[in-house]
Amino acid sequence: MAEGEHCLGKFRRHPVEFSVIFTATPPGTPVVYRVDCDDGVGPHEVCRFGDDPDQPVVWRGAWQGDEWCPWIVQNARELVTNPSRFDF
């Protein structure tokens, strides 16, 4: 993770582990969260989204339109609302 980023928690759908990351943004700009996944080859970005649920989620690469997308967003937003007590 880059400086200023913080992992809010993780969730899993076998065999993939997803991490929700609070990303550092300049003061006065909207809050941005990133979802990374690790399927055994190292973490890579799945999507980015903000606090406003009406704003579109920006999906990366092959994740665009994937059947897991609604499930990923639901789990990610739950971790934003109620972060894990553990600092990953």
Side-chain angles (χ1 to χ4, degrees), residues 3-27:
E3 184 176 334
E5 294 185 338
H6 178 74
C7 184
L8 301 178
K10 298 181 180 189
F11 56 96
R12 176 179 290 279
R13 189 167 191 173
H14 188 73
V16 182
E17 181 176 80
F18 297 91
S19 300
V20 179
I21 312 295
F22 169 81
T23 63
T25 56

Side-chain angles (χ1 to χ4, degrees), residues 16-81:
V16 182
E17 181 176 80
F18 297 91
S19 300
V20 179
I21 312 295
F22 169 81
T23 63
T25 56
T29 61
V31 173
V32 175
Y33 303 96
R34 183 180 78 237
V35 178
D36 288 350
C37 74
D38 188 344
D39 56 2
V41 296
H44 53 279
E45 186 173 326
V46 172
C47 66
R48 289 181 184 252
F49 63 95
D51 281 332
D52 184 353
D54 292 330
Q55 292 292 337
V57 176
V58 178
W59 296 95
R60 301 290 180 221
W63 286 104
Q64 181 69 41
D66 188 272
E67 65 184 47
W68 286 11
C69 290
W71 179 84
I72 291 168
V73 170
Q74 177 185 1
N75 281 276
R77 289 198 184 278
E78 286 176 11
L79 280 173
V80 167
T81 302

